[in-house]
Amino acid sequence: MSLQSEKIRELVEKRAKARLGGGEKAIEKQHAKGKLTARERIDLLLDKGSFEEFDMFKLHRCHNFGMEKKQYLGDGVVAGSGTIAGRLVYVYAQDFTVNGGSLSITMAEKICKVQDMALKMGAPCIAINDSGGARIQEGIDALAGFGNIFQRNIESSGVIPQISVISGPCAGGAVYSPALTDFVIMLEGVSYMFLTGPKVVKTVTGEDVSSEDLGGAKVHAAKSGVAHFTAKTEEEAAALIQKLLSFIPQNNMESAPRVECNDPIDRKEDMLNEIIPDNANMAYDMYKVIGAVVDNGEFFEVHSQFARNIIVGFARFNGQSVGIVANQPSVYAGVLDVNASRKGARFVRFCDAFNIPIVTLVDVPGFLPGTGQEYNAVIDHGAKLLYAYGEATVPKVTVTLRKSYGGSHIVMSCKQLKGDLNYAWPSAEIAVMGASGAVAVLCAKEAKTKDDPKAFLAEKEKEYNDLFTNPYQAAMKGYIDDVIEPRNTRFRICRALAQLANKREERPAKKHGNIPM
């Protein structure tokens, strides 16, 4: 065998060894837990044969606590580039078979290289997390590694899309990288996220809680809002990412991919002319409205389990990707609260950062009252939504279907927050508050002087309704650009977006704003 052949054989053997990660027994343990390996996850996600790996032969440099005996090629993370539907992406997947996926400074260097390349090339960066946290044996080096990763998450924010998948444990400082990314997907039953684990919680607070109840997928999807999506299987998680990427651009300098549309833009939906109940206190399902107006009824919802009184997600109009924000009258009457406000604000800011037009469907009676809301800073959180809409320079089309009262009217992409085209259905009610509440404030004293206070108040309610439970007062003042027939809503939105395609709008020069936190 020639020297060259021997060197090639050595390379092939090293590659084979690196691909085994922590070894066959460790891989078997991973599979026994119902989990895929890092390489299997990447193969599932990317176009077949597209993965180009970086730093396959990198080794950690720690010689404390016997770590010099635990050397594995690649050191616990698989990193590189590939394509999804032919589009370039960068990806890294932590390898739990190598030292529990714990983060070393070497692993951090590999991850940072991928992050730097993604930013340089203007391509999405996808992180697959499955790690025991910082490698304790490395001390401050491991913490420095986390800090280097976080800084790159921050610098990439609003420049390239960042997506995190939690496929196993993610605890302590490790949770901050996913939290800094745009979207978080958690695997049900096998993943969790928390800053301090159940044992620490028990020691410090006396509270007895499991990992699942403290930071499982359902907790973060429905209660905290940390997770945007959950998936039952690794295959489902990969499919979610692939679908998500189809709606968003490569970076902040590009537009989202446009697809061919066979759904007529002038398609009329007669059902919409009947969907608003005669009784203003009755609910209806906003999902039916969304499904009726978007291309082919296809809506990709984000944060579906969290703050369900507001709906956010992606759809298309005439093949163009848009972000949908809509109140949901069938959940808490569609009121805004702390969680709905921050859910909406974060989504609006993502769309604005990545040149995705925003379509807002409004039916909101106000903000949820009560000490629970006030003590949890509903003022600040409501201001986040207001700030996000006012800051956004992408095309903004707003349709008011029914109620739009008081402060909640203002924060839902009103004309004064530089909404570009604001439409209303004939059923729209745009006022400071509902008729009964307004009359109670305006006419309570006068009612006491009347022989029949109830009849007097009923008369005043009718007068208030005649004035405000219609969109024409707002239309007369130019706050509504047009009152439209509900069944024509799809056509009017499609035409509005076409009109706004070349919109150019700037805000005053500044380092950055100070959004209410």
Side-chain angles (χ1 to χ4, degrees), residues 170-219:
C170 187
V175 300
Y176 285 123
S177 182
L180 290 166
T181 61
D182 298 304
F183 299 100
V184 175
I185 301 166
M186 293 187 72
L187 281 176
E188 297 174 14
V190 297
S191 70
Y192 56 78
M193 296 175 74
F194 38 65
L195 278 170
T196 53
K199 291 181 181 178
V200 176
V201 170
K202 176 72 172 176
T203 301
V204 176
T205 70
E207 188 179 5
D208 199 357
V209 63
S210 68
S211 294
E212 182 66 26
D213 290 338
L214 182 63
K218 291 181 180 179
V219 168

Side-chain angles (χ1 to χ4, degrees), residues 241 328 465:
I241 296 171
Q328 173 57 299
N465 277 325

Side-chain angles (χ1 to χ4, degrees), residues 108-129:
E109 288 166 358
K110 290 182 64 172
I111 291 168
C112 288
K113 181 184 284 190
V114 163
Q115 291 177 302
D116 290 341
M117 289 291 286
L119 192 58
K120 191 187 298 184
M121 302 306 161
C125 189
I126 302 162
I128 302 175
N129 296 267

Side-chain angles (χ1 to χ4, degrees), residues 18 22 28 68 129 136 141 173 187-188 210 239 243 289 306 310 329 334-335 339 343 347 389 399 455 459:
E28 287 172 9
E68 69 278 2
N129 296 267
I136 298 171
D141 277 346
L187 281 176
E188 297 174 14
S210 68
K243 185 80 167 177
V289 178
F306 178 65
I310 197 167
V335 296
N339 288 339
K343 170 181 170 178
F347 184 75
Y389 270 120
V399 184
E459 181 184 339

